[in-house]
């Protein structure tokens, strides 16, 4: 009798836990962050090692710009799963966003943590595009005196090129645009758009024409072609 009662309790707990998680996921997809957070926290209370709930809670904290909270959740994941690239990427990303929200002196102390996290993600997953994009942007935006480097950015842009031609050309366009090499950026974005023909590739080239090259004729022509 005791075993039967325990088994019924176990199944009931399992059912309600699954139902709460599925409901929380739907709320998350609807961007109802506060409501989803409550349910994911309940799932975590019932199962402290529920890594999917931990990740969702980190993502919600990110959407709400609660960077310390996001860092806490992602840190627990990268410790629990030291060979999963996405957790290191998200951890580094949360730290990067926190660095942008504090003064420059405090941000300096976070640089190595951000860089090491992105590098570890790249090491763990040779095809992880997001961390390579993060490294391209990190090395370009970081002042040279504290580790910024176009050569390092180009290295990860080349790795993106080997994974995805579209991402490769977009990243090279990003680098050229940053350094105001607008003619080269136009070539890169044009190649990316020729291959991808997506809203993202269109927007990059269109914005370059309109805001940097200041060629409204090219911008208009590109828009007409894309909207056909």
């Amino acid at each position: 009798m005791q075993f039967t009662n325990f088994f019924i309790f176990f199944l009931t707990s399992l059912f309600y836990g699954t139902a709460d998680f599925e409901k929380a996921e739907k709320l998350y997809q609807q961007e109802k962050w506060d409501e989803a957070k409550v349910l994911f926290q309940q799932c975590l209370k019932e199962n402290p090692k529920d890594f999917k709930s931990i990740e969702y809670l980190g993502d919600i904290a990110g959407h709400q710009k609660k960077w310390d909270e996001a860092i806490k959740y992602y840190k627990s994941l990268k410790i629990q799963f030291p060979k999963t690239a996405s957790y290191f990427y998200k951890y580094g990303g949360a730290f990067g966003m926190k660095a942008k929200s504090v003064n420059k002196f405090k941000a300096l102390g976070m640089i190595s943590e951000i860089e090491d996290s992105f590098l570890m993600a790249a090491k763990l997953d040779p095809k992880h595009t997001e961390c390579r994009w993060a490294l391209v942007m990190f090395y370009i935006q970081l002042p040279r005196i504290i580790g910024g480097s176009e050569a390092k950015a180009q290295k990860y842009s080349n790795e993106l090129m080997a994974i995805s031609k579209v991402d490769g050309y977009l990243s090279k366009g990003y680098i050229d645009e940053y350094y105001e090499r607008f003619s080269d950026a136009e070539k890169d974005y044009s190649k990316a758009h020729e291959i991808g023909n997506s809203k993202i590739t269109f927007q990059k080239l269109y914005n370059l024409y309109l805001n940097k090259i200041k060629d409204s004729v090219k911008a208009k022509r590109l828009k007409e072609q894309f909207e056909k």
Side-chain angles (χ1 to χ4, degrees):
M1 188 68 178
Q2 271 189 326
F3 176 77
T4 303
N5 290 337
F6 172 79
F7 188 65
I8 292 171
F9 172 77
F10 172 77
L11 289 178
T12 303
S13 300
L14 184 63
F15 172 77
Y16 281 112
T18 303
D20 283 346
F21 184 84
E22 290 175 352
K23 186 177 179 181
E25 278 192 312
K26 287 180 181 178
L27 290 168
Y28 179 88
Q29 290 160 6
Q30 294 167 1
E31 299 185 3
K32 295 179 179 179
W33 312 127
D34 289 329
E35 294 175 58
K37 182 178 181 178
V38 171
L39 287 178
F40 282 128
Q41 286 176 330
Q42 182 59 36
C43 291
L44 197 58
K45 186 177 180 181
E46 294 170 0
N47 179 10
K49 292 186 178 181
D50 180 3
F51 66 95
K52 288 304 297 180
S53 289
I54 295 173
E55 184 173 9
Y56 272 121
L57 286 167
D59 294 346
I60 289 170
H63 284 298
Q64 296 180 327
K65 298 183 180 180
K66 297 177 180 178
W67 305 122
D68 286 330
E69 196 173 317
I71 288 167
K72 179 191 73 174
Y73 286 120
Y74 296 143
K75 183 177 181 178
S76 70
L77 287 171
K78 77 185 186 77
I79 291 172
Q80 189 177 352
F81 301 98
K83 294 186 178 180
T84 301
S86 62
Y87 297 148
F88 283 88
Y89 163 70
K90 289 187 175 185
Y91 177 75
F95 246 111
M97 295 306 295
K98 180 180 178 179
K100 288 184 177 182
S101 68
V102 299
N103 63 56
K104 291 182 179 180
F105 181 76
K106 285 185 178 180
L108 282 173
M110 302 177 189
I111 289 173
S112 62
E113 191 80 19
I114 298 165
E115 182 180 18
D116 290 348
S117 299
F118 289 151
L119 288 173
M120 179 58 75
K123 181 180 179 181
L124 288 169
D125 187 350
K127 294 186 178 181
H128 197 288
T129 58
E130 292 91 345
C131 72
R132 285 167 173 79
W133 260 111
L135 284 163
V136 169
M137 298 172 75
F138 176 81
Y139 287 124
I140 285 298
Q141 295 180 15
L142 195 68
R144 188 172 298 179
I145 194 170
I146 52 174
S149 166
E150 183 184 355
K152 289 180 180 179
Q154 292 287 4
K155 174 183 184 296
Y156 290 100
S157 177
N158 291 337
E159 290 188 11
L160 281 170
M161 187 72 77
I163 299 167
S164 159
K165 294 294 183 185
V166 172
D167 283 296
Y169 283 121
L170 283 176
S171 62
K172 291 194 177 300
Y174 169 82
I175 295 170
D176 287 328
E177 183 179 357
Y178 185 89
Y179 287 111
E180 299 185 357
R181 300 190 293 254
F182 297 140
S183 179
D184 290 336
E186 179 184 6
K187 293 174 185 175
D188 295 325
Y189 287 151
S190 294
K191 288 178 181 176
H193 188 54
E194 182 182 337
I195 298 168
N197 192 33
S198 67
K199 186 176 181 180
I200 293 173
T201 58
F202 158 74
Q203 203 68 55
K204 286 293 185 182
L205 186 55
Y206 181 78
N207 288 340
L208 182 75
Y209 283 146
L210 202 63
N211 302 318
K212 300 298 174 64
I213 296 177
K214 307 291 185 183
D215 192 329
S216 58
V217 175
K218 280 187 176 181
K220 183 181 178 181
R221 188 185 306 133
L222 177 69
K223 187 174 182 180
E224 289 172 348
Q225 290 172 346
F226 185 67
E227 292 178 346
K228 280 183 181 179

